[in-house]
Every structure is written in structure tokens, then in C-alpha cells.
Amino acid sequence: GGGAVVTMPRTRFNDLTKEYQKVVSKMTQRQKTGGAGGGADVCEFELKELINCLYSHDRNIAKCRPEQLSLFNCKSRMNAAQLQKNSRAQARRIKTRLIAKFARYIPK
């Protein structure tokens, strides 16, 4: 008894492919500008693996669970890192604003 095959909708698959193309062009951009870590933070590898897996299994999602999971984990890590970066920047901005506000009370 082979269970029902869950196929990823073609539109969703196309979205993945578009996302991957965006990631690749972002990385290319970075390499041109000599940016750090040519895109290690954009889940390029995980995306590619999932797309390749889906492609070779006619978009059968069940066959690509591990790839889906690793892409999900990568994106979670990325979001966490981004949030951390944002909160650090926010903390700096607040500090700068406070210093500016109280500058006249701070003895020179």
C-alpha cells in the first residue's frame, strides 16, 4: 500500500526556484563587491538541495523531508541571527539617542 503522493504545487516549486535565483544573484553581487562570506548566510546550499531533490522526484514532498528540514533549520538560524543583529543595532541607536539627549548634563 503506497500512500498518497504529496506533490508540491508547481507554483510553490517555481517560487523556490525564483528564491534560489535571487540568492545566487545576491551572492554574485557580494563576490563582485568583495563582501564577506559569499552568501553563506542565505541558505544557498539547502535551497539547491531541496530544489534538486524535488526536481528529481517529480516534486514528491515526502521524498525530500530531510532537505526541507535542513532548509527550515537554516532559515531559522538566519532569522535568529538577523534578529540579534537588529537588536544590537537598536540598542546602539537608543544609547546614541540617550547620550545626545543628556549630553548637556554630562560634565565635559
Side-chain angles (χ1 to χ4, degrees), residues 24-93:
V24 169
S25 68
K26 211 189 270 184
M27 284 167 59
T28 316
Q29 218 48 51
R30 251 190 231 182
Q31 278 154 0
K32 274 186 209 144
T33 57
D41 61 336
V42 281
C43 307
E44 183 260 345
F45 176 76
E46 289 79 1
L47 254 172
K48 187 172 63 186
E49 291 291 289
L50 178 57
I51 290 169
N52 287 342
C53 177
L54 287 165
Y55 187 75
S56 54
H57 292 105
D58 296 317
R59 305 196 313 279
N60 179 349
I61 292 173
K63 298 260 192 231
C64 305
R65 285 279 179 244
E67 288 80 0
Q68 259 189 319
L69 191 63
S70 61
L71 177 61
F72 174 77
N73 289 339
C74 175
K75 285 185 176 278
S76 304
R77 272 199 311 276
M78 224 172 80
N79 290 342
Q82 191 56 52
L83 282 174
Q84 213 175 8
K85 219 178 350 187
N86 288 351
S87 62
R88 268 203 301 272
Q90 213 172 358
R92 256 201 311 275
R93 275 198 299 275

